[in-house]
Amino acid sequence: MSAEANLTTALSEIDRARDIVEFSTVVVARDKQLRKADQLVFLQKAAVEFQSRFLPSFEDSIRAERSWGYATTCNAVSRKAGGQPGRDACEKIASRVSQIDHALMAKIGIRALSIFAASFGRHSRSSECHYGAIRIARLCREESRSLQELNNLSLAALINGFSKWPEEADFRQAAVAIAGEVIRRANRHHQLSDFTQQGLVSLVNGFSKWPEEVTSRQAAAALALEIVRRPGRLRAFAQQGLAILVNGFSKWPDERPYGQVTVAIAGEVLGRAARFREFSEQDLANLVNGFSKWPDDAVSRQATVAIASELLRRATQLPHYTQQGLANLVNGFCAAAIRVRLQRQSR
């Protein structure tokens, strides 16, 4: 079937969907199958249909235990490909979430709420999304036992949604509740062995937005120890994942678990030197800035030098880098040089 025929079929399927369950199933499936240009057309059409046909009956659908379809549809259309129609749909459902009572919130279910939180966080400048996320954060804080129902990816969706507003007390308190749940699991017999690479990366990234919170720090330490504990632990991580981990752990440069895992990541990065072209400018900047927090480690220094060599090879591409990306790289190399100099002077 041609790409054009695929798009036509997908659009026909959402037109024929009889309820939110069928509609969301089509949206999620087709979102993964369509090529990029067709995906934009499909998701923006789906966002318009979602608003007009299903959003008016949101509360009734919650009572009928059909919240999941709303959450997965919102997650799909709220991404960049959903465009303005997707943003509008996300804002409208966030507004509805912010206004429903406690009993109805509980009926949505914590798994669906975690998906809503991630969706709302994509539009952090929207007041509707802000207030919708606050409503979810308060429920997480007040009903923290419900977090036990979530897998690691759902916990990560919550923390990353809330992390878009790190200065606010509601989100900080919800993050502490999520960190407490991670610590509780870390103390079990199987510890965090069921956590995926994506879950580990996303949780570290989320907790790093509240580095001053003791519980966030303890949860991140548990995640660091889990990564170090796993045999072949780092080979399965994507380049961006390694960079996010280093950036997250660098918020606590004076504590041993973070240094251990960062040095291990530096070794993995050195092992991928032949594949440095796969690292984005942001990945390299995060790695350089992170490694600079441990200047006394030889492996971290070697990895930083290897990244500098890669940038020399990319010299003709540097004019196309963003100003922010270049600034982050310069800051990282400067910080590394300063810390090495201070270390030598203290000897």
Side-chain angles (χ1 to χ4, degrees):
M1 186 181 292
S2 69
E4 183 178 354
N6 271 334
L7 176 59
T8 301
T9 301
L11 293 173
S12 297
E13 287 173 348
I14 58 173
D15 284 338
R16 294 196 305 268
R18 294 165 295 180
D19 55 37
I20 187 60
V21 175
E22 187 175 337
F23 182 85
S24 63
T25 301
V26 173
V27 169
V28 172
R30 290 298 187 175
D31 177 34
K32 297 176 181 177
Q33 297 169 359
L34 294 170
R35 64 179 187 177
K36 190 171 182 180
D38 292 339
Q39 184 189 50
L40 269 66
V41 175
F42 173 75
L43 287 178
Q44 292 180 28
K45 175 67 160 51
V48 172
E49 292 289 310
F50 180 52
Q51 288 186 70
S52 63
R53 294 172 55 195
F54 301 108
L55 198 55
S57 57
F58 180 48
E59 288 80 0
D60 289 338
S61 294
I62 295 172
R63 296 183 185 95
E65 299 184 348
R66 292 186 168 187
S67 309
W68 186 252
Y70 285 86
T72 55
T73 301
C74 185
N75 182 53
V77 302
S78 65
R79 296 199 307 270
K80 186 176 180 180
Q84 189 60 47
R87 178 183 176 125
D88 291 344
C90 185
E91 289 178 340
K92 288 180 180 177
I93 203 163
S95 178
R96 302 284 279 269
V97 168
S98 70
Q99 297 174 48
I100 61 180
D101 61 32
H102 187 83
L104 210 52
M105 278 290 287
K107 204 165 180 61
I108 291 177
I110 191 65
R111 289 180 64 227
L113 289 172
S114 71
I115 297 177
F116 280 133
S119 303
F120 300 163
R122 296 189 182 111
H123 302 290
S124 58
R125 295 183 180 180
S126 162
S127 60
E128 293 90 348
C129 290
H130 177 213
Y131 290 121
I134 285 177
R135 188 72 185 83
I136 298 171
R138 289 176 178 169
L139 185 135
C140 291
R141 182 192 66 203
E142 296 163 4
E143 306 285 346
S144 60
R145 288 180 65 87
S146 66
L147 298 173
Q148 296 179 23
E149 302 172 24
L150 299 179
N151 65 21
N152 65 100
L153 294 176
S154 294
L155 289 172
L158 278 175
I159 194 73
N160 279 307
F162 298 156
S163 70
K164 304 304 189 296
W165 301 276
E167 296 84 10
E168 297 195 28
D170 286 308
F171 299 114
R172 175 175 54 78
Q173 291 163 5
V176 168
I178 296 166
E181 175 59 20
V182 170
I183 294 168
R184 186 190 71 80
R185 297 186 192 193
N187 292 328
R188 298 179 310 181
H189 176 64
H190 294 294
Q191 298 178 311
L192 305 177
S193 58
D194 59 334
F195 278 37
T196 63
Q197 283 85 11
Q198 182 184 344
L200 292 167
V201 169
S202 296
L203 285 164
V204 169
N205 183 57
F207 292 137
S208 71
K209 302 300 191 297
W210 292 276
E212 73 288 349
E213 286 290 339
V214 173
T215 314
S216 289
R217 187 178 73 244
Q218 292 172 341
L223 296 169
L225 291 172
E226 172 62 24
I227 294 170
V228 170
R229 184 185 65 80
R230 294 183 180 185
R233 55 198 174 272
L234 294 173
R235 287 196 295 273
F237 285 87
Q239 282 80 350
Q240 185 181 45
L242 294 177
I244 290 172
L245 286 174
V246 169
N247 185 59
F249 291 135
S250 71
K251 303 301 190 297
W252 303 280
D254 300 322
E255 299 193 27
R256 185 176 179 185
Y258 312 117
Q260 285 181 314
V261 72
T262 300
V263 169
I265 293 172
E268 177 64 22
V269 169
L270 279 173
R272 300 187 189 189
R275 297 162 52 195
F276 267 174
R277 64 183 180 279
E278 299 173 14
F279 286 78
S280 70
E281 60 180 275
Q282 185 61 54
D283 294 339
L284 295 177
N286 282 337
L287 289 169
V288 169
N289 277 281
F291 294 152
S292 73
K293 304 294 176 61
W294 287 274
D296 55 335
D297 180 77
V299 180
S300 292
R301 291 199 303 271
Q302 290 167 8
T304 301
V305 170
I307 292 170
S309 298
E310 169 62 18
L311 289 170
L312 287 174
R313 284 192 291 272
R314 298 187 187 186
T316 58
Q317 302 174 27
L318 294 181
H320 303 291
Y321 279 22
T322 65
Q323 290 184 349
Q324 186 63 53
L326 290 171
N328 289 340
L329 286 165
V330 170
N331 287 340
F333 287 122
C334 289
I338 290 170
R339 288 188 175 93
V340 169
R341 183 178 300 174
L342 290 174
Q343 182 194 33
R344 289 174 177 171
Q345 290 175 350
S346 66
R347 290 176 178 171

